[in-house]
Amino acid sequence: MTTTSAKDTAATAAALALGDDALVLSHRLGEWAGHAPVLEEEVALANIALDLLGQARVLLSMAGDEDELAFLREERAFRNLQLVEQPNGDFAHTIARQLFFSAHQYLLYGELASGDGPFAPLAGKAVKETAYHRDHAEQWTLRLGDGTDESHARMQRAVDALWRYTGEMFQPVEGVDVDWTGLETAWLEWTGEVLRRATLTVPEGPRTGAWTAGAGRQGLHTEPFGRMLAEMQHLHRSHPGATW
Amino acid sequence: MATAAARDTAGSRAFDARADADDTADHERAFDAAVAADERIEPRDWMPDAYRATLVRQIAQHAHSEIIGMQPEANWITRAPSLRRKAILMAKVQDEAGHGLYLYSAAETLGTSREELLDKLHTGRQKYSSIFNYPTLTWADVGAIGWLVDGAAITNQVPLCRCSYGPYARAMVRVCKEESFHQRQGYELLLALSKGTPEQHAMAQDAVDRWWWPSLMMFGPPDDESPHSAQSMAWKIKRHSNDELRQRFVDICVPQAASLGLTLPDPDLKWNEERGHHDFGPIDWAEFWDVLKGNGPCNEERLSRRRRAHEEGAWVREAAAAHAARQTNGETGATRA
């Protein structure tokens, strides 16, 4: 009994962490609608946002009621990585965030899909979507990195700026039974290779800071996140108990 | 397919003006015969210059409307009140970008380019539907747009599936399927609000009150003030007059409003047994022309946002082009200027 419930609690917490990652990044990508640099990217970014929202809905539903969890929790109760809550910035920042996160998600879901844990069914479907997201981010990293001088400079700036949020992705999440060290090694190798092909420099700075090491998973977020939630939750909170 | 005659004459090019004139007359006869026989005109077929120009104008305006039309709805993506509604809305806005892409492709078969058309949109030389110059002030507006605006668009567009120009007609078949789906989702959104709390019901009614008349204006000016209508109908680009389609739309909406439990903001709206149609009140055409001229509530904002997205994205498009050129030349990053 005790063992089972501890396991359930861990699984619920893990579903929340992975679900919040997908929910928050989906929201950020949704902010691009109507602003993308080219029509094809309106379609692509919305497509990725929808995939992530689909994953979030499955994961949050494993942890409770999806809408209560999305709309009625306060900032300190969210368990997403700080990386995914970072503002969109310019297109290069959005692509760097996508590159880092989708490469992580691809490896994580790949491993979860091959196991028999509670996340295996979701991961089996999600890993296919994530392969597409990763490919999209990789292609744009190459285009921007190895494009014009301006795009190269912007892409390098974006990679440098977001690098310090990448260590957090490999802080073990209780209830997610994978080889975290192995994931991190594979991630560093793949990401480094893409950055080099894009003629970019792999940043030398630390991949965690005093405030980023495992912080999002503990409900410690960055300032832009509170405003993002205020916008996301405002309507739902204005009509307590209503159904939509 | 145009008639065999149109295709045969296209091959024989005359050298003197007299023969050119004969040639054009032959082409015109073949074109008219193809249209009369309800055959499809295809990109390589001869067509009158004015037919080509009308189609470019109409298809471009249609494409622009899909692209500008993303804005009023995207305005609510980040505030959608449930994850299910958020997913539906994101999918819809994504579909609109896709419709814009189909339509620009259809326009390009007439010898123009997407860049050229976007430039005309950005400089105000081509229009988009006046409806998107109205603001989405509440969540219920998303439902009202789905039910009324998409409903009006479908009423307009279903006959276009039989339009004489093949690429446009085929684009419309695909667009209409997705639009019908959006329209049902909008209706369902309003129904949930109408049957929800008193506040939600009031929100739904307020949205319908604000979107009803602008939706009726989507069918364009009355028949006697519609300069392009007669020619477009003769060419079978249009199949029904503006007023006919508007009447059809009103007749469809009245029972739907009743089943939604919402009213339509028109005291003159009533069933006319004799005509077999609903009579409805006068449309404020002064408002219509004013919005069309650029004086609507959101004209400035919509266009400047579109321009801004395009301008701010210029470096991304340049990067993609530079990268593609380098790939073609087999160069590596070391040669980047």
Side-chain angles (χ1 to χ4, degrees):
Chain A
M1 173 75 191
T2 324
T3 330
T4 315
S5 73
K7 208 171 170 184
D8 282 354
T9 310
T12 300
L16 214 51
L18 303 186
D20 285 351
D21 285 348
L23 177 72
V24 170
L25 186 55
S26 164
H27 185 95
R28 284 298 190 202
L29 293 175
E31 293 173 351
W32 269 104
H35 299 273
V38 54
L39 287 177
E40 284 79 358
E41 284 306 295
E42 294 284 1
V43 178
L45 295 174
N47 208 318
I48 296 169
L50 266 173
D51 287 343
L52 289 167
L53 185 53
Q55 295 168 12
R57 295 182 66 190
V58 173
L59 287 160
L60 294 183
S61 297
M62 288 170 77
D65 177 273
E66 60 175 31
D67 284 339
E68 273 180 35
L69 288 169
F71 295 103
L72 298 175
R73 269 181 305 158
E74 294 191 354
E75 190 180 339
R76 292 281 283 108
F78 273 82
R79 294 289 176 258
N80 56 283
L81 298 163
Q82 289 184 355
L83 175 69
V84 296
E85 75 201 29
Q86 294 312 304
N88 289 333
D90 67 5
F91 191 68
H93 276 76
T94 292
I95 291 301
R97 194 182 58 197
Q98 285 303 114
L99 183 79
F100 294 161
F101 184 72
S102 61
H104 154 71
Q105 228 190 6
Y106 178 75
L107 293 165
L108 176 67
Y109 282 153
E111 204 167 321
L112 288 173
S114 64
D116 57 359
F119 299 112
L122 165 91
K125 178 170 182 288
V127 74
K128 293 180 195 136
E129 298 168 346
T130 308
Y132 160 73
H133 305 170
R134 194 180 73 146
D135 185 49
H136 174 262
E138 178 185 357
Q139 294 304 318
W140 272 112
T141 301
L142 295 174
R143 285 186 200 113
L144 298 181
D146 191 18
T148 63
D149 284 347
E150 182 185 4
S151 70
H152 177 85
R154 284 180 185 254
M155 194 65 211
Q156 186 67 57
R157 206 152 53 223
V159 164
D160 291 346
L162 294 174
W163 191 248
R164 72 190 185 99
Y165 297 104
T166 59
E168 193 188 1
M169 294 190 290
F170 306 99
Q171 298 281 325
V173 174
E174 202 197 338
V176 180
D177 186 21
V178 296
D179 170 13
W180 290 95
T181 315
L183 283 188
E184 183 160 27
T185 307
W187 184 89
L188 277 168
E189 196 176 317
W190 186 84
T191 308
E193 198 260 331
V194 172
L195 293 180
R196 277 187 291 274
R197 269 196 293 134
T199 74
L200 296 162
T201 308
V202 179
E204 284 174 7
R207 294 185 38 251
T208 53
W211 190 250
T212 48
R217 296 283 187 236
Q218 294 151 27
L220 294 170
H221 295 279
T222 55
E223 283 184 351
F225 186 55
R227 278 193 299 280
M228 194 206 97
L229 281 190
E231 183 173 345
M232 184 173 104
Q233 296 182 337
H234 165 261
L235 178 60
H236 185 96
R237 284 184 183 272
S238 301
H239 297 263
T243 51
W244 300 92
Chain B
M1 285 286 160
T3 57
R7 228 170 285 279
D8 290 347
T9 51
S12 62
R13 282 272 164 260
F15 293 98
D16 59 292
R18 176 63 180 277
D20 272 353
D22 286 350
D23 213 23
T24 304
D26 284 349
H27 283 318
E28 257 167 20
R29 265 193 298 279
F31 174 84
D32 290 344
V35 170
D38 269 338
E39 291 179 30
R40 288 280 164 81
I41 307 299
E42 295 298 338
R44 287 167 188 275
D45 295 338
W46 184 91
M47 63 187 83
D49 289 344
Y51 176 84
R52 187 183 298 274
T54 294
L55 276 169
V56 168
R57 183 178 50 78
Q58 183 173 338
I59 300 173
Q61 176 167 323
H62 195 159
H64 299 334
S65 301
E66 296 284 356
I67 300 310
I68 297 283
M70 294 168 69
Q71 288 183 33
E73 296 180 284
N75 185 35
W76 283 92
I77 286 178
T78 54
R79 292 176 289 170
S82 74
L83 296 187
R84 175 172 165 264
R85 294 289 178 198
K86 186 174 185 161
I88 290 172
L89 184 56
M90 271 185 184
K92 181 181 177 188
V93 174
Q94 182 193 16
D95 284 348
E96 281 158 3
H99 295 172
L101 286 169
Y102 302 158
L103 287 160
Y104 285 123
S105 299
E108 284 182 332
T109 65
L110 292 159
T112 182
S113 69
R114 198 209 295 185
E115 289 68 30
E116 195 179 333
L117 298 176
L118 280 174
D119 189 56
K120 286 183 175 160
L121 168 66
H122 296 154
T123 52
R125 284 177 292 156
Q126 280 179 345
K127 304 276 184 212
Y128 54 87
S129 177
S130 64
I131 193 82
F132 300 119
N133 292 313
Y134 290 86
T136 47
L137 301 178
T138 72
W139 170 250
D141 290 35
V142 171
I145 288 181
W147 177 45
L148 294 173
V149 175
D150 293 343
I154 293 163
T155 310
N156 261 328
Q157 290 168 12
V158 164
L160 287 173
C161 298
R162 294 184 295 124
C163 160
S164 59
Y165 188 58
Y168 192 26
R170 289 189 289 274
M172 280 302 102
V173 172
R174 298 182 63 179
V175 169
C176 283
K177 276 184 196 159
E178 292 178 349
E179 292 289 1
S180 313
F181 189 57
H182 299 161
Q183 201 255 352
R184 283 202 297 276
Q185 289 170 331
Y187 178 90
E188 195 253 334
L189 189 163
L190 281 181
L191 188 64
L193 293 180
S194 182
K195 294 189 162 178
T197 65
E199 291 79 11
Q200 286 176 306
H201 182 89
M203 194 192 277
Q205 183 62 59
D206 169 62
V208 169
D209 289 349
R210 283 182 288 108
W211 287 93
W212 173 247
W213 292 108
S215 301
L216 293 192
M217 294 178 198
M218 284 175 70
F219 296 92
D223 292 346
D224 51 10
E225 288 175 51
S226 180
H228 304 292
S229 275
Q231 183 61 74
S232 287
M233 286 178 75
W235 278 330
K236 294 190 181 169
I237 295 174
K238 267 179 98 142
R239 297 280 179 158
H240 310 280
S241 80
N242 294 353
D243 288 332
E244 251 176 84
L245 290 171
R246 191 169 7 246
Q247 180 69 61
R248 186 179 296 178
F249 178 67
V250 171
D251 290 337
I252 291 169
C253 286
V254 170
Q256 291 183 351
S259 59
L260 277 171
L262 298 170
T263 59
L264 295 169
D266 179 359
D268 297 332
L269 188 64
K270 61 174 182 300
W271 178 249
N272 182 325
E273 191 64 52
E274 213 171 291
R275 292 201 306 124
H277 290 293
H278 292 86
D279 290 336
F280 54 97
I283 290 172
D284 183 352
W285 291 113
E287 176 180 317
F288 173 78
W289 294 113
D290 212 28
V291 173
L292 217 59
K293 263 186 289 180
N295 298 325
C298 299
N299 297 59
E300 178 53 36
E301 189 192 332
R302 299 284 187 248
L303 207 51
S304 54
R305 175 170 297 191
R306 176 88 269 288
R307 272 195 224 111
R308 201 160 59 240
H310 191 73
E311 284 161 13
E312 286 175 0
W315 69 271
V316 176
R317 296 190 298 276
E318 285 158 15
H323 182 74
R326 195 168 297 122
Q327 295 298 105
T328 309
N329 298 336
E331 293 169 22
T332 64
T335 55
R336 183 165 35 76

